[in-house]
């Protein structure tokens, strides 16, 4: 069936199945997570709605980081994932996500 974001496939509150009222639509399609790792830059293009393209990062080793105390922004190298509140496996596999705490080469 694939990955879907549509809530139509969930069951009723009573546990029963919902009747199919319409077919699957392309805009309801979800894509698998990229699980960006630390390494040399590898980015893939993913076609989006309207023919535009999004950049899907598979491996990254640089990023923009902000030091609020010094009002400075620098592009620096990411060296390691130290902590991740969602899953310890992300630390072990060095997966970069939004809430990952990383060490940088600054």
């Amino acid at each position: 069936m694939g990955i879907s974001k549509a809530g139509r496939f969930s069951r009723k509150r009573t546990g029963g199945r919902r009747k199919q009222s319409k077919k699957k639509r392309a805009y309801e399609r979800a894509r698998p997570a990229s699980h960006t790792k630390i390494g040399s830059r590898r980015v893939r293009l993913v076609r989006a709605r309207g023919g535009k393209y999004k950049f899907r990062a598979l491996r990254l080793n640089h990023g923009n980081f902000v030091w609020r105390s010094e009002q400075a922004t620098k592009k620096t190298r990411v060296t390691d994932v130290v902590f991740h509140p969602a899953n310890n496996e992300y630390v072990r596999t060095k997966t970069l996500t939004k809430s990952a705490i990383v060490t940088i080469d600054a």
Side-chain angles (χ1 to χ4, degrees), residues 3-106:
I3 303 170
S4 177
K5 289 190 291 188
R8 297 183 290 114
F9 303 111
S10 59
R11 289 178 175 258
K12 297 181 188 177
R13 246 183 283 153
T14 58
R17 304 269 312 257
R18 292 187 192 272
K19 291 179 90 174
Q20 182 182 4
S21 59
K22 64 178 182 179
K23 292 183 179 180
K24 293 182 218 173
R25 305 290 197 245
Y27 60 80
E28 294 171 344
R29 180 182 58 217
R31 296 200 172 95
S34 61
H35 296 295
T36 306
K37 307 283 191 222
I38 295 176
S40 59
R41 182 182 157 95
R42 181 183 289 175
V43 177
R44 297 282 180 258
L45 292 176
V46 177
R47 189 186 180 277
R49 186 177 164 104
K52 306 289 187 197
Y53 284 93
K54 292 181 176 183
F55 298 106
R56 183 65 39 90
L58 302 179
R59 279 196 266 163
L60 289 175
N61 59 359
H62 283 80
N64 276 339
F65 294 93
V66 178
W67 286 268
R68 293 269 169 99
S69 59
E70 296 156 20
Q71 276 84 35
T73 303
K74 290 266 187 184
K75 183 177 180 181
T76 59
R77 197 165 62 88
V78 179
T79 56
D80 193 21
V81 177
V82 179
F83 178 74
H84 201 289
N87 196 342
N88 276 334
E89 187 182 342
Y90 291 161
V91 177
R92 188 172 50 78
T93 56
K94 298 184 185 348
T95 302
L96 296 173
T97 60
K98 204 171 180 180
S99 58
I101 297 173
V102 296
T103 57
I104 56 175
D105 186 29

